[in-house]
Amino acid sequence: MAQQYGKVYLVGSGPGDPELMTLKARRLLDTADVIIFDQLPGEKILASMPEAAEKIDAGKHAGDHTLTQSEINDAIVEKAKEGKIVVRLKGGDPYMFGRGGEEAEELVKAGIEFEIVPGITSALAATAYAGIPVTHRDHASMVTFITGHEDPTKEETALDWKTLAAFGGTIVIFMGVKMLERNMGELMRYGKNPKTPVAMVERGTRPDQRVTIGTVETIAKISKDAGVKAPALTVIGDVVKLHEILGSQI
Ligand code: SAH
């Protein structure tokens, strides 16, 4: 019966700096019966999970396999059905490329009560700490968020690179490290100015944050040489020039 079920909180932990977590996220994390997490929240936040809670690593499972999304959904539903208060902890904001929407739909289907706790998305925080305002009166009055990680074997790309190449605002790419060269190639193919500034912001707001600068034409090689790796955001647009003036916060 539904009233015997527990409750699930889909909690955004923010970009990694523990002080950028909301008070609500902190309170729920401290009082949860079960925490289902992956590595994206970052070391500091993961280390702050209370000892008393049951912790399920959705990023690692028997034999080091990653839980599939449906296994994660099952784990969340199962624990809630046991009457537990479950925190599904997610880096940044749960609904920003976090599959939080899918998890919420599953909970509705299963008749389990849930709440969403928005977090500061890395798209705003990692860029800010890197000295890059995503909008600026002189440089960009629009911003768009896209995923750069698409299956390279897929014939059709879901992304409309033609529209993106013509887009006059800032483009922030999530999960874009692996496909960086292809994605920059697509932009240039559709006429994006190759000299447009690009920043890669790795591990934004964490102690080891790193910013690597290039252009649409050069960033793939520069990133490869610098060993840029996930989690990192790709920021494309004139606002990237402000990094030189505003500097990195870390
Ligand atoms: N829900 C998250 C995004 C999940 S998708 C959010 O709102 O931030 C995972 C991608 O997010 C990573 O591949 C990377 O592109 C980006 N990301 C998350 N945290 C990051 C951080 N601290 N620094 C840079 N990029 C980050």
Side-chain angles (χ1 to χ4, degrees), residues 12-17 40-42 90-100 119-127 146-149 172-177 200-206 209-210 229-234:
S13 65
D17 178 344
L40 198 57
K90 289 175 164 289
D93 179 82
Y95 282 174
M96 181 71 108
F97 295 113
R99 307 192 75 164
I120 301 183
T121 178
S122 62
L124 300 180
T127 47
I146 67 170
T147 170
H149 181 76
V172 180
I173 308 181
F174 288 81
M175 298 170 280
V177 177
M200 299 297 290
V201 185
E202 291 172 274
R203 301 174 298 275
T205 82
R206 302 182 196 169
Q209 169 180 301
R210 178 169 71 153
K229 51 182 198 297
L233 290 168
T234 309

Side-chain angles (χ1 to χ4, degrees), residues 2-221:
Q3 58 267 40
Q4 291 173 340
Y5 289 173
K7 182 165 176 179
V8 176
Y9 294 91
L10 300 173
V11 177
S13 65
D17 178 344
E19 288 194 302
L20 294 180
M21 238 176 134
T22 64
L23 296 173
K24 191 165 188 176
R26 187 68 256 170
R27 173 174 60 80
L28 292 167
L29 196 61
D30 288 341
T31 52
D33 297 320
V34 182
I35 302 169
I36 302 179
F37 67 97
D38 50 53
Q39 294 308 308
L40 198 57
E43 254 168 54
K44 280 198 179 171
I45 287 168
L46 294 178
S48 78
M49 292 190 289
E51 256 176 46
E54 179 187 350
K55 291 176 269 300
I56 299 174
D57 187 343
K60 275 196 210 117
H61 199 45
D64 216 10
H65 287 306
T66 306
L67 291 192
T68 63
Q69 188 61 43
S70 92
E71 286 169 333
I72 295 172
N73 295 346
D74 290 348
I76 299 171
V77 168
E78 186 190 306
K79 292 293 169 187
K81 283 190 170 169
E82 287 171 14
K84 305 274 172 59
I85 299 298
V86 181
V87 163
R88 169 66 176 119
L89 192 68
K90 289 175 164 289
D93 179 82
Y95 282 174
M96 181 71 108
F97 295 113
R99 307 192 75 164
E102 292 161 55
E103 290 173 12
E105 284 179 298
E106 286 300 318
L107 292 166
V108 170
K109 256 195 236 158
I112 291 163
E113 199 190 341
F114 81 96
E115 247 185 71
I116 178 91
V117 181
I120 301 183
T121 178
S122 62
L124 300 180
T127 47
Y129 272 38
I132 304 169
V134 288
T135 71
H136 186 290
R137 267 163 37 112
D138 298 335
H139 302 290
S141 12
M142 299 185 279
V143 56
T144 190
F145 305 111
I146 67 170
T147 170
H149 181 76
E150 283 197 299
D151 184 348
T153 59
K154 255 196 337 193
E155 280 188 20
E156 291 282 306
T157 160
L159 290 166
D160 180 353
W161 290 106
K162 192 174 173 204
T163 299
L164 288 167
F167 182 69
T170 306
I171 300 174
V172 180
I173 308 181
F174 288 81
M175 298 170 280
V177 177
K178 256 200 197 136
M179 304 301 288
L180 187 60
E181 191 174 352
R182 184 208 62 178
N183 293 344
M184 295 305 109
E186 289 292 306
L187 287 174
M188 286 188 284
R189 187 154 80 92
Y190 287 109
K192 184 84 184 167
N193 181 351
K195 306 278 181 250
T196 308
V198 179
M200 299 297 290
V201 185
E202 291 172 274
R203 301 174 298 275
T205 82
R206 302 182 196 169
D208 53 353
Q209 169 180 301
R210 178 169 71 153
V211 183
T212 304
I213 301 286
T215 64
V216 168
E217 194 174 32
T218 62
I219 195 68
K221 180 168 187 330

